[in-house]
Amino acid sequence: MTPTMYLDFTLKPESHLLQPIPESWNAFIYVLEGEGVFGSRSSSAAAHHLLLLGPGNGVEAWNKSSKPLRFILVGGEPLGEPVVQFGPFVMNTKKRLTKQSMILRLVLMVLRMQSNGDHKRQLLLVYS
């Protein structure tokens, strides 16, 4: 298992937060409500914006508005593995990615057959 964090913060108006993050981790902030100022460079972000955090040992956030600020902080230790992506699939090798997309095609074919009332055909799926 890889260590991770998922924190949900609500800052009252005119409040400040300092949250430590291990230096070696990757992390991001997603603003859910309100508007805040983040980091030493004072990057401002409003609702539905995402901030990728660079190297460091934590994040600072300020709510300088008159309304609450709500955001999530998500971080984790990098896996250090290759990343291969195709559509919604993300794996660490092209072979595993090909296998998953083939399994999806088979499952979709079975679902289509079932929704069409085609009960005469049977398909055996073997997953290893």
Side-chain angles (χ1 to χ4, degrees), residues 68-100:
L69 164 65
R70 183 167 175 228
F71 64 94
I72 59 170
L73 170 63
V74 180
E77 189 174 68
L79 295 174
E81 294 182 2
V83 175
V84 181
Q85 179 191 1
F86 178 73
F89 299 104
V90 179
M91 297 288 177
N92 58 0
T93 66
K94 189 171 182 175
K95 183 179 178 181
R96 290 187 74 194
L97 186 65
T98 303
K99 183 177 180 180
Q100 291 303 315

Side-chain angles (χ1 to χ4, degrees), residues 38-76:
F38 300 89
S40 59
R41 294 187 182 172
S42 298
S43 299
S44 181
H48 312 295
H49 283 85
L50 182 117
L51 299 167
L52 291 176
L53 303 179
N57 58 2
V59 66
E60 282 192 89
W62 294 267
N63 182 357
K64 296 183 178 183
S65 74
S66 60
K67 296 181 180 179
L69 164 65
R70 183 167 175 228
F71 64 94
I72 59 170
L73 170 63
V74 180

Side-chain angles (χ1 to χ4, degrees), residues 18-31:
L18 175 59
Q19 175 61 47
I21 303 171
E23 262 187 72
S24 61
W25 285 23
N26 294 330
F28 69 87
I29 290 172
Y30 183 75
V31 180

